Amino acid sequence: MTCRFKKKPATAFQIGAGLSRIDAPAKLMPVDAALRFSPTRQGHAGPGQIRRFSFPVRFSIEFPSAEIRQMNDALIELHEIVKNYGPIRALDHVSLSIRPGITGLLGPNGAGKSTLIKVLLGLLRTSSGSGQILGYQLGSQQRKIRSLIGYMPEDDCFLAGISGVESMQFMARLSCLPAREGLRRSHEILDFCGMEQDRYRLVETYSTGMRQKLRFAQALVHDPPLLILDEPTSGLDPVEREATLNRIRILATQHGKTVILCTHILPDVQAVSQAVIILAQGKVLVSDSLENLNRARVPSLQVKLIGPADPFLKGMQERGKTVQMLDGGVLSISGSTEELASLVWQVAEQTQSTIRLLQPSRTSLEEIFIQSVGGTRGAA
Amino acid sequence: MALHDLGYRKWQGKLAPGGMRWAVISGAAIRAAWKSQWIRRLLFLAFVPAFWYGLAFFFVEQATQYPAWQRAALDMLRTMDLPGHLRHIDLHQNPDAARHQIWSFLLNSYIRNPQAVVMVLLIGLIAPPLISQDLRSRAFLLYFSRPLTRGEYLLGKSAAVWAYLLLISAVPALLLYLMGVLLSPRIEVVASTWDLPFRIVLASCILAIPTTSLALMFSSLTQESRYAAFAWFLVWILGWLTFSIMQSVEMGVQQAATQPDLHPRWSLVSPFHVLGRVQQWAFGFTSFEEILVPGGILLTVTGISLAILYHRISAPMRM
């Protein structure tokens, strides 16, 4: 007999290093054995591994491991967070929820990004508001939260007087990895981050890029489910930048890590993120998936002509189309791209214009960012 | 291109207990200090006075068994500023009572005189970079993004200094005590001197805790460890000079030189003498009432230092 039922959300419990809730549909399947529990090595389920509980009633419940069950949940929920530095309000009633995957945290200087990160890490107490991170209460369970977060600071910070690998081992041990395991894991992560023999040199002798890599590596050493990366690609050459973005992608897609990517480099966010949060003046201006943000924008075509554009422009306007002149002589025509394309060709033929470029307008994150932040600046 | 690349792998091992995170910090600080050749040399030198005091223990134990050694033993003890009431003690007639008093004096003298001076030098080398280096390299964000409290951080840094201080005070003093027991004619000596190991530990704590707090406080006030070291040595030198000058002015140079501890009022301005007076209480040479003021000074210095320390290491988080 095989039956299926949906299990209701139950109380939170801890499996391995992460916290999970039983809220994904559980799958029931028949088995012969009586009550059976088959955990993986040392009682922890790995990524994608199945935990199986069997009961005497000849069926068992299979449900995925912690990370997979979290996929549909918001891992971070903040409600009306306010943080004041004396008379200055750094966070102004911030409410947001962050789902698994990569989320870009954007904002101009002084927007409150660093304050928000410090609040998430429990380094700063909030003036008011509440929140949950990975199922733990913000403010009261900070040590547990910090043990599940890998944080890469933006500042050029390092542990002086020791080598790269010693620094990694030290951070691993602060996260309670046993000494020998910490060293093994440090080497493993340094390999992953492409740091070769330099790991044996004193950290003070490292270049900016190498210190950046080391900070990225130390955030991973304890295998946290949540990564907060503050400017992970600043100061890196193009090759290293691409490699770092690739590592972030791998961590999120293949290893189920949730990543908060805090950066000023918008193409980085556009390249890897699924969602974006834009902060300005301590307020959340935008918090949505990139897909939704792109969908919300009016479709348009970009046209570049060889020769004078006036006849073509006039022809399009006669047909009731709104045409905007952009930089570099590019025309932006709003409307559904499929029917617009044939109209463009018709008008070009009639006005004897030669089309050099015809492409759908790409809505860039930069545009969204400038529009959002520009609005608050205007209001200010 | 790599033929085989493990890439990122999940870690599924068992975590160590979290209560010892401070030990990770102190272990790293101890190893970092051990790399300094000056500190290793100083530690070696710190054990030299123990040989002289070991010799004194040998003479005292000989005197308790053979009357002929009595004069030589007392002559040797007088070179260590033996207090007046012990100058004519008969080691042979009543060895148990004499042994406790003389051993207490020797151990107190050992911790107070040579080891307190070595302590000033040792802390001056170890403590200044401990926090100032973290301030300079902005390592606080790395520390406190881990499940580590500020208290554990402070305990870890302090424990590194304590470890070295115990190595130069409690460890050799306990070895001297053990040597005394082994040199004595009977093992029952332990019964009459059982309190001395505890007194050694107490005196070592009096030596270590306030001084470490003060030195770490100086370290937390600057990013340049040399300024912290300068401030540390300045406190001791100025304190000593002020005490010596004021005592000489009040008592006259000659009397002040022969009876340095006679006028306790000015000893309160010298950290060295304040520590010494409280340590004398630990070995039973002064009453509790007599150390209320110096003890209060030590407690106040420790409290203020810890408060400033806590404030300073919290400061980078508030920005």
Side-chain angles (χ1 to χ4, degrees):
Chain A
M1 183 193 75
T2 304
C3 58
R4 285 170 181 273
F5 70 88
K6 190 168 181 177
K7 207 167 188 322
K8 285 183 178 175
T11 50
F13 65 96
Q14 196 163 358
I15 295 174
L19 184 97
S20 59
R21 287 195 184 120
I22 309 171
D23 53 4
K27 189 178 163 191
L28 294 163
M29 59 184 295
V31 288
D32 294 322
L35 185 60
R36 210 168 59 201
F37 172 52
S38 53
T40 56
R41 186 170 67 86
Q42 296 185 17
H44 301 291
Q49 288 173 329
I50 302 296
R51 283 190 161 206
R52 173 175 291 188
F53 294 95
S54 306
F55 299 97
V57 288
R58 296 176 62 79
F59 64 79
S60 71
I61 306 168
E62 275 184 4
F63 56 88
S65 62
E67 289 77 9
I68 292 175
R69 268 177 285 132
Q70 284 171 344
M71 289 305 283
N72 299 320
D73 284 348
L75 296 187
I76 299 176
E77 290 270 11
L78 300 181
H79 305 286
E80 298 288 315
I81 295 286
V82 175
K83 174 65 194 171
N84 297 322
Y85 291 111
I88 298 162
R89 180 156 286 187
L91 293 178
D92 191 0
H93 297 279
V94 169
S95 296
L96 51 88
S97 81
I98 295 175
R99 292 178 181 281
I102 306 173
T103 301
L105 179 61
L106 305 173
N109 293 330
K113 301 187 297 290
S114 298
T115 305
L116 180 63
I117 289 174
K118 284 178 182 171
V119 164
L120 293 177
L121 287 166
L123 300 175
L124 288 176
R125 284 184 187 277
T126 55
S127 305
S128 67
S130 63
Q132 271 201 337
I133 300 170
L134 301 161
Y136 291 107
Q137 209 61 39
L138 190 70
S140 58
Q141 293 176 300
Q142 286 309 144
R143 282 178 80 143
K144 282 181 181 169
I145 292 172
R146 282 207 289 263
S147 69
L148 300 173
I149 294 180
Y151 173 54
M152 175 190 178
E154 178 194 2
D155 295 345
D156 184 21
C157 47
F158 57 91
L159 299 168
I162 51 178
S163 67
V165 70
E166 283 171 335
S167 166
M168 286 283 288
Q169 191 194 12
F170 181 76
M171 299 312 285
R173 293 197 65 198
L174 280 187
S175 290
C176 289
L177 269 73
R180 188 182 287 257
E181 262 304 280
L183 185 61
R184 189 194 64 74
R185 176 83 183 158
S186 300
H187 281 292
E188 202 174 290
I189 297 296
L190 287 170
D191 287 341
F192 173 66
C193 292
M195 190 171 269
E196 305 297 336
Q197 296 305 305
D198 295 321
R199 70 185 67 176
Y200 300 108
R201 275 171 41 199
L202 285 179
V203 184
E204 292 97 308
T205 64
Y206 282 13
S207 65
T208 310
M210 280 159 65
R211 280 187 200 164
Q212 188 84 336
K213 262 204 255 186
L214 188 68
R215 285 201 298 279
F216 180 71
Q218 64 81 27
L220 294 174
V221 74
H222 55 303
D223 192 29
L226 173 63
L227 290 168
I228 299 177
L229 309 176
D230 203 350
E231 302 285 358
T233 55
S234 69
L236 297 180
D237 61 55
V239 176
E240 268 308 320
R241 177 175 158 254
E242 194 46 52
T244 302
L245 290 176
N246 211 28
R247 285 182 198 116
I248 294 170
R249 257 187 230 112
I250 289 170
L251 289 167
T253 55
Q254 294 174 22
H255 299 279
K257 306 279 177 216
T258 298
V259 182
I260 298 175
L261 186 63
C262 181
T263 180
H264 285 105
I265 307 170
L266 300 181
D268 285 359
V269 175
Q270 195 149 23
V272 297
S273 300
Q274 284 107 48
V276 172
I277 294 168
I278 299 177
L279 277 178
Q281 293 174 2
K283 291 178 180 157
V284 177
L285 302 180
V286 174
S287 177
D288 208 343
S289 68
L290 263 180
E291 201 183 340
N292 286 346
L293 288 171
N294 285 335
R295 199 184 296 142
R297 303 184 67 76
V298 180
S300 61
L301 274 184
Q302 285 186 350
V303 181
K304 192 169 183 183
L305 303 170
I306 296 172
D310 290 347
F312 178 82
L313 201 67
K314 204 174 168 186
M316 290 305 291
Q317 281 167 347
E318 279 169 4
R319 283 162 178 82
K321 295 294 171 191
T322 313
V323 183
Q324 265 187 309
M325 181 70 88
L326 304 177
D327 291 342
V330 177
L331 303 173
S332 174
I333 310 162
S334 303
S336 169
T337 50
E338 282 170 20
E339 57 185 65
L340 201 60
S342 56
L343 184 68
V344 165
W345 287 115
Q346 280 174 24
V347 174
E349 195 181 0
Q350 283 166 14
T351 56
Q352 298 294 307
S353 304
T354 310
I355 296 173
R356 189 185 161 192
L357 175 89
L358 176 63
Q359 66 176 23
S361 302
R362 287 199 299 185
T363 52
S364 71
L365 188 58
E366 202 168 347
E367 236 177 290
I368 298 166
F369 180 79
I370 289 167
Q371 276 178 15
S372 317
V373 174
T376 57
R377 279 186 181 156
Chain B
M1 184 182 276
L3 291 173
H4 175 66
D5 185 6
L6 279 174
Y8 184 84
R9 287 195 295 171
K10 256 197 101 57
W11 186 74
Q12 298 172 344
K14 197 175 175 187
L15 292 173
M20 295 300 284
R21 285 191 190 95
W22 63 269
V24 176
I25 293 177
S26 54
I30 288 168
R31 279 193 296 277
W34 188 252
K35 285 179 188 167
S36 161
Q37 215 170 39
W38 282 105
I39 290 172
R40 290 204 300 268
R41 283 176 188 157
L42 193 60
L43 283 173
F44 175 75
L45 284 176
F47 275 84
V48 172
F51 292 106
W52 177 246
Y53 280 83
L55 201 63
F57 267 88
F58 172 74
F59 271 68
V60 169
E61 282 311 310
Q62 289 295 96
T64 58
Q65 296 164 60
Y66 311 108
W69 285 77
Q70 167 110 352
R71 186 184 168 84
L74 286 177
D75 283 347
M76 186 172 194
L77 293 174
R78 280 190 200 108
T79 63
M80 298 172 177
D81 289 335
L82 190 67
H85 71 282
L86 293 178
R87 283 179 186 231
H88 305 291
I89 197 164
D90 193 335
L91 294 165
H92 188 65
Q93 287 297 317
N94 189 6
D96 281 342
R99 181 179 286 117
H100 190 278
Q101 284 195 307
I102 296 294
W103 282 18
S104 295
F105 159 72
L106 281 173
L107 293 169
N108 176 43
S109 169
Y110 176 70
I111 291 178
R112 190 185 168 189
N113 293 319
Q115 301 315 88
V117 175
V118 175
M119 174 275 293
V120 175
L121 296 174
L122 194 63
I123 291 187
L125 289 176
I126 296 172
L130 281 181
I131 295 179
S132 60
Q133 207 169 49
D134 286 344
L135 278 172
R136 192 166 63 242
S137 63
R138 286 174 274 187
F140 285 117
L141 276 176
L142 292 175
Y143 281 112
F144 298 122
S145 63
R146 304 278 155 177
L148 180 82
T149 61
R150 284 151 219 195
E152 283 173 329
Y153 172 82
L154 275 185
L155 180 62
K157 293 286 182 185
S158 303
V161 185
W162 294 340
Y164 279 106
L165 288 183
L166 293 182
L167 198 64
I168 62 154
S169 59
V171 171
L174 287 170
L175 286 175
L176 282 175
Y177 170 77
L178 187 68
M179 197 186 84
V181 171
L182 293 175
L183 286 172
S184 65
R186 293 168 291 113
I187 198 68
E188 287 80 19
V189 166
V190 176
S192 61
T193 56
W194 63 270
D195 59 321
L196 288 181
F198 296 101
R199 289 178 189 277
I200 289 168
V201 173
L202 179 63
S204 299
C205 290
I206 291 166
L207 186 77
I209 294 170
T211 50
T212 303
S213 309
L214 185 69
L216 288 182
M217 186 266 282
F218 286 136
S219 177
S220 73
L221 291 176
T222 173
Q223 293 187 0
E224 294 287 341
S225 54
R226 57 195 162 155
Y227 297 149
F230 178 75
W232 167 255
F233 287 119
L234 196 68
V235 163
W236 293 88
I237 292 168
L238 278 184
W240 185 290
L241 281 178
T242 312
F243 166 72
S244 304
I245 292 166
M246 295 314 294
Q247 199 195 28
S248 302
V249 168
E250 281 204 355
M251 297 168 62
V253 177
Q254 204 173 7
Q255 198 185 359
T258 52
Q259 294 166 304
D261 289 342
L262 198 67
H263 210 289
R265 184 155 61 103
W266 289 107
S267 70
L268 295 178
V269 297
S270 164
F272 183 83
H273 291 87
V274 170
L275 273 178
R277 284 175 67 180
V278 182
Q279 283 174 334
Q280 277 186 333
W281 165 76
F283 280 100
F285 291 114
T286 50
S287 66
F288 184 70
E289 287 74 26
E290 283 178 87
I291 59 116
L292 278 179
V293 177
I297 289 174
L298 288 187
L299 280 177
T300 310
V301 167
T302 308
I304 291 173
S305 301
L306 288 176
I308 293 173
L309 259 172
Y310 199 81
H311 177 79
R312 288 290 300 166
I313 61 169
S314 304
M317 303 299 118
R318 286 193 292 267
M319 286 189 285

